Amino acid sequence: MGNKSSLLLREEEIAQIQEATGFTPNQIERLYSRFTSLDRGDCGTLSREDFLRIPELAINPLGERIVNAFFEESGNDRVNFLQFMQVLALFRPIKKHSPNRLNSRQEKLRFAFKMYDLDNDEMISKDELLAILHMMVGANISEEQLNSIVERTIVEADENGDNMISFEEFCKVLERTDVEQKMSIRFLS
Amino acid sequence: AKKREYKVFSVEFHRVETPFIIGIWIFFASLAKIGFHMAPKFSKMFPESCLLIVVGVVIGVLLFHASSVHVSPLTPDTFFLYMLPPIILDAGYFMPNRLFFDHLGTILLFAVIGTIFNTLSIGATLWVLGKSGLFGFTTPLLDMFLFSALISAVDPVAVLAVFEEIHVNEILYIVVFGESLLNDAVTVVLYHMFETYSEMGPSRITYMDLLSGLGSFLVVAIGGTIIGVIWGLATGFVTRFTNQVRVIEPIFIFVMAYLAYLNAEIFHMSGILAITFCGITMKNYVEANISHKSHTTVKYTMKMLSSSSETIIFMFLGVATVNNRHDWNTWFVVMTIVLCSVYRIVGVMVLTAVANRFRLHKLDKVEKFVMSYGGLRGAVAFALVLLIDPKHVPLQPMFVTTTIAVIYFTVFIQGITIKPLVKILNVKRAERRKPTMNERIHERIMDHIMAGVEDILGKHGNYHLRDKFKRFDNKFIRPYLV
């Protein structure tokens, strides 16, 4: 498999992706072989169905939203390898001395924020928060309890009194969270 | 014959002797503890464990001169059956599960490979030094290994006593503390293995025996863990039905965890692992079942039992030091302390280098230092060395003395200096606070994101496994236990 994928991926492509994302050539080849195995139609791009065919992702409460993040990057309904890599680059661990482009704390937080902010107005509204909690907790918690959780959450984070959580407020409440650690993956090299 | 008459007053101390003395012990140990906290300057400089040992020594000296009866309250049986379980249950029950499982790889590496490395290297070096005639007596190889097996394990009681006070950051804490808990299986196996070998004599050991030693390690570790998990699940199941009789809820938690420990000990499996995992397992389900008041009772009773046991252990260590059977050999003591420290440092260096290759959070220099420095030895080693039969191992009295010396070294020198060192080196401290609602929700979201990304990558990492377990738990276990 490794051989096949390295045949398909030309050297200048690897260099270009390395430049754009910061992955090492080894990691790029590894991820490319994953990319091709997800690509059932062998057309060099991935569709939504290709992603959602991953069984665990399909039952992940955020599965669809995570997949959407890939398509937001591409702007249409196919994702090519570079776009795929650009999203994944966000989850690279932050190294002390290398410049942070795609994987800075800010970018990681931005990704998490977008999971809530479906209408892209840079605000998490009460309904958006409620919707996401619904998906996470299932039927165990009553509607009333959920509502009060949402209200408490917003009051806690809201500083300017607009009953919504802006990105700045979002960053502020997570000030003490080790986002760099929590939203990083060790890519095998 | 003399006429029996009804006495208004009579003295019968003998009848209550044992429980009375135990009561007095606990009373004085607790008084001593109150005393330390009344002298804040004192208790800031010294860890409590040091002060308790000192009080123990003082009492020991008094007893030694006052009575001809030899008082040795710290027998292996009382230690392993009554004093150790509460401490470990407390640790297991309040274990931060997530942190523990996130760092399980590193913890296991240290607990298993690290302890084996320490045992073999300390044992072999002592043997070589013995050959050179430094100690002035012959040092049989197997006896040296038996001794190194019990001296090389990091002790959970000592680690808890010291680390609870210095509040280092959670990763450091869990790695050192997790190691001290999980290495129990290794210690138990190595100890029994070398004990049997040295009874058999070196000439009759075959490769089969070495292999069964290796096999028994897996049995002891996995067996203990499974026994613990089963009792933990059973506790969850039983507490499901206690909502009519709330007062007995804590009983089940304590008794069933204790039974898990004893159950593992029956089969010579790791009791520490059993009770740790029993606590880890039951917590999730029990907390959903029991009332709020029972939960408070459980929490405080557990804390009380474990801290009293800890107090008593350190005091008894002090008392047990004072006896006339010491066999002091300066070179042996010095070399043991040096080797314990040196190999601990070497082990930490090598193993963190290995672990860092697989870790997201790399352990840095300062953390490595605290990890090597936190390798404290304690009462488990002492109880184990008392268990050695002097008939088979004539060097046993010297081992006892040396073990006490090592414990004193780690508890006093390391225990006292670790606090200032942590300050000087600027080790990240733990902050104790409850997560806010926002943090709880957003961190859950991050978990789901990361599980999703791992699935896209086809990587079976921590998030993926946690996700899988949670789904399994919600579907198949929770409905029956909660």
Side-chain angles (χ1 to χ4, degrees):
Chain A
M1 264 258 285
N3 283 335
K4 193 187 149 207
S5 55
S6 58
L7 275 181
L8 287 169
L9 210 57
R10 278 173 292 121
E11 223 147 87
E12 59 263 32
E13 278 179 310
I14 294 182
Q16 185 202 348
I17 293 170
Q18 190 180 356
E19 172 64 28
T21 60
F23 281 112
T24 66
N26 250 338
Q27 289 170 329
I28 295 172
E29 276 179 34
R30 232 172 234 279
L31 290 169
Y32 189 65
S33 91
R34 176 67 183 168
F35 184 82
T36 45
S37 74
L38 289 176
D39 177 19
R40 291 292 177 87
D42 262 339
C43 42
T45 54
L46 298 180
S47 66
R48 278 198 166 72
E49 290 68 43
D50 284 329
F51 279 105
L52 293 173
R53 222 178 272 127
I54 305 169
E56 292 91 350
L57 194 64
I59 46 175
N60 188 320
L62 296 179
E64 219 162 314
R65 295 188 184 201
I66 296 170
V67 173
N68 280 338
F70 285 87
F71 290 93
E72 203 167 287
E73 186 73 27
S74 79
N76 60 35
D77 56 355
R78 309 289 302 181
V79 172
N80 69 24
F81 185 53
L82 180 63
Q83 291 152 350
F84 180 72
M85 294 298 277
Q86 263 161 347
V87 176
L88 290 180
L90 205 139
F91 299 101
R92 285 178 52 233
I94 298 175
K95 292 241 164 62
K96 262 181 199 153
H97 303 295
S98 62
N100 305 321
R101 288 166 298 183
L102 297 168
N103 61 342
S104 65
R105 179 186 170 93
Q106 190 80 358
E107 288 300 317
K108 287 178 198 289
L109 280 169
R110 171 83 53 192
F111 189 93
F113 187 77
K114 276 190 195 150
M115 289 290 120
Y116 299 89
D117 182 25
L118 278 193
D119 55 7
N120 272 330
D121 63 350
E122 295 286 305
M123 289 286 186
I124 302 176
S125 68
K126 210 184 141 194
D127 291 336
E128 283 169 338
L129 194 54
L130 197 59
I132 209 161
L133 285 180
H134 249 294
M135 297 194 300
M136 287 204 312
V137 297
N140 293 330
I141 297 184
S142 74
E143 198 66 25
E144 263 171 66
Q145 279 172 306
L146 269 187
N147 261 319
S148 78
I149 291 177
V150 167
E151 257 157 39
R152 264 184 61 188
T153 311
I154 291 191
V155 166
E156 203 181 83
D158 188 20
E159 285 187 333
N160 54 11
D162 60 357
N163 247 341
M164 307 236 245
I165 304 177
S166 68
F167 184 60
E168 284 69 38
E169 287 162 348
F170 183 75
C171 292
K172 192 131 195 215
V173 289
L174 289 175
E175 235 168 16
R176 286 191 283 197
T177 303
D178 192 359
V179 180
E180 293 88 340
Q181 206 48 243
K182 274 207 156 67
M183 288 195 60
S184 294
I185 279 192
R186 215 179 54 83
F187 291 91
L188 298 173
S189 51
Chain B
K2 206 179 153 199
K3 190 181 158 249
R4 278 184 63 138
E5 57 186 58
Y6 188 82
K7 272 191 258 174
V8 183
F9 180 80
S10 66
V11 178
E12 198 182 10
F13 180 64
H14 184 69
R15 197 168 144 245
V16 295
E17 192 182 353
T18 317
F20 188 79
I21 288 180
I22 294 173
I24 289 285
W25 278 119
I26 298 174
F27 175 65
F28 274 110
S30 310
L31 275 189
K33 217 167 167 160
I34 295 178
F36 307 145
H37 288 281
M38 283 170 125
K41 254 193 187 165
F42 221 49
S43 63
K44 242 182 206 157
M45 255 168 65
F46 301 99
E48 225 174 66
S49 41
C50 296
L51 300 168
L52 287 169
I53 288 188
V54 172
V55 173
V57 171
V58 171
I59 294 178
V61 171
L62 290 178
L63 281 174
F64 191 69
H65 290 292
S67 66
S68 51
V69 197
H70 182 68
V71 188
S72 172
L74 193 66
T75 63
D77 262 354
T78 51
F79 176 73
F80 282 118
L81 297 184
Y82 306 114
M83 292 181 339
L84 190 58
I87 298 178
I88 307 295
L89 175 64
D90 175 56
Y93 192 85
F94 294 106
M95 174 84 80
N97 283 3
R98 174 174 187 162
L99 208 58
F100 178 71
F101 285 109
D102 273 351
H103 298 277
L104 190 59
T106 312
I107 293 173
L108 278 176
L109 187 72
F110 275 94
V112 178
I113 311 292
T115 309
I116 293 177
F117 164 76
N118 274 328
T119 304
L120 295 183
S121 53
I122 294 174
T125 317
L126 281 177
W127 176 68
V128 170
L129 288 172
K131 282 244 144 182
S132 74
L134 180 66
F135 306 138
F137 53 83
T138 52
T139 49
L141 181 63
L142 287 171
D143 291 4
M144 287 302 118
F145 275 134
L146 178 61
F147 175 66
S148 68
L150 64 91
I151 205 71
S152 58
V154 175
D155 182 83
V157 183
V159 168
L160 270 177
V162 169
F163 273 61
E164 289 266 280
E165 286 181 39
I166 56 176
H167 299 306
V168 290
N169 67 70
E170 42 189 13
I171 292 178
L172 259 181
Y173 175 76
I174 202 74
V175 170
V176 177
F177 177 56
E179 175 198 350
S180 72
L181 280 180
L182 298 198
N183 69 17
D184 175 58
V186 182
T187 313
V188 168
V189 170
L190 287 176
Y191 178 81
H192 282 303
M193 212 163 85
F194 289 121
E195 194 185 27
T196 322
Y197 288 169
S198 76
E199 276 171 30
M200 281 170 23
S203 54
R204 284 191 295 147
I205 298 171
T206 60
Y207 282 109
M208 257 329 273
D209 292 323
L210 291 177
L211 275 183
S212 27
L214 210 70
S216 77
F217 164 68
L218 293 176
V219 173
V220 166
I222 297 172
T225 309
I226 290 176
I227 289 175
V229 170
I230 290 175
W231 277 100
L233 291 176
T235 316
F237 185 71
V238 173
T239 50
R240 195 185 162 192
F241 303 102
T242 52
N243 46 5
Q244 297 304 318
V245 263
R246 293 287 193 196
V247 278
I248 57 168
E249 277 168 346
I251 295 268
F252 281 117
I253 292 168
F254 289 111
V255 168
M256 291 179 82
Y258 190 46
L259 285 174
Y261 181 85
L262 296 179
N263 204 186
E265 291 287 312
I266 292 176
F267 303 112
H268 276 273
M269 287 174 184
S270 165
I272 292 187
L273 278 182
I275 201 165
T276 307
F277 276 92
C278 183
I280 290 179
T281 314
M282 72 158 77
K283 173 172 58 183
N284 292 325
Y285 310 109
V286 161
E287 302 225 311
N289 286 334
I290 63 176
S291 70
H292 193 70
K293 277 186 185 163
S294 301
H295 178 244
T296 313
T297 313
V298 167
K299 186 175 161 189
Y300 285 101
T301 314
M302 232 176 236
K303 291 278 173 226
M304 182 197 75
L305 286 177
S306 73
S307 86
S308 341
S309 277
E310 196 185 285
T311 308
I312 297 171
I313 286 174
F314 282 113
M315 240 175 101
F316 280 10
L317 262 179
V319 175
T321 317
V322 189
N323 65 48
N324 46 11
R325 291 171 305 166
H326 278 301
D327 185 359
W328 177 270
N329 180 314
T330 310
W331 274 114
F332 193 75
V333 170
V334 170
M335 284 326 289
T336 307
I337 292 177
V338 170
L339 291 176
C340 278
S341 318
V342 169
Y343 284 122
R344 173 78 190 167
I345 295 169
V346 173
V348 168
M349 287 298 168
V350 174
L351 292 176
T352 43
V354 175
N356 273 346
R357 294 183 64 109
F358 301 98
R359 290 176 57 89
L360 201 56
H361 170 97
K362 312 281 183 214
L363 297 162
D364 61 27
K365 264 189 218 141
V366 173
E367 286 169 319
K368 280 182 206 172
F369 175 78
V370 176
M371 283 166 73
S372 348
Y373 214 71
L376 305 163
R377 315 302 207 267
V380 172
F382 183 69
L384 282 176
V385 80
L386 289 183
L387 271 181
I388 298 178
D389 188 351
K391 277 187 218 115
H392 293 296
V393 184
L395 291 175
Q396 194 254 6
M398 193 195 65
F399 288 166
V400 175
T401 308
T402 312
T403 307
I404 292 178
V406 174
I407 294 172
Y408 273 54
F409 178 80
T410 58
V411 172
F412 280 89
I413 310 290
Q414 283 171 246
I416 292 175
T417 50
I418 198 166
K419 231 186 205 173
L421 277 174
V422 161
K423 244 184 209 156
I424 293 169
L425 291 173
N426 225 345
V427 178
K428 238 171 94 190
R429 300 298 193 89
E431 44 171 329
R432 287 199 182 171
R433 61 189 180 88
K434 276 195 172 157
T436 64
M437 196 58 116
N438 273 282
E439 283 168 335
R440 268 166 45 193
I441 291 175
H442 303 323
E443 284 173 15
R444 279 270 295 271
I445 291 286
M446 289 179 194
D447 286 346
H448 283 300
I449 295 176
M450 296 320 284
V453 174
E454 279 188 350
D455 294 329
I456 291 175
L457 292 172
K459 182 175 184 268
H460 298 296
N462 279 348
Y463 291 99
H464 172 87
L465 291 177
R466 182 179 303 118
D467 224 37
K468 228 174 181 168
F469 172 75
K470 270 199 173 154
R471 268 199 292 276
F472 180 80
D473 186 42
N474 280 333
K475 210 166 175 183
F476 298 108
I477 307 180
R478 269 189 178 269
Y480 300 101
L481 301 188
V482 175

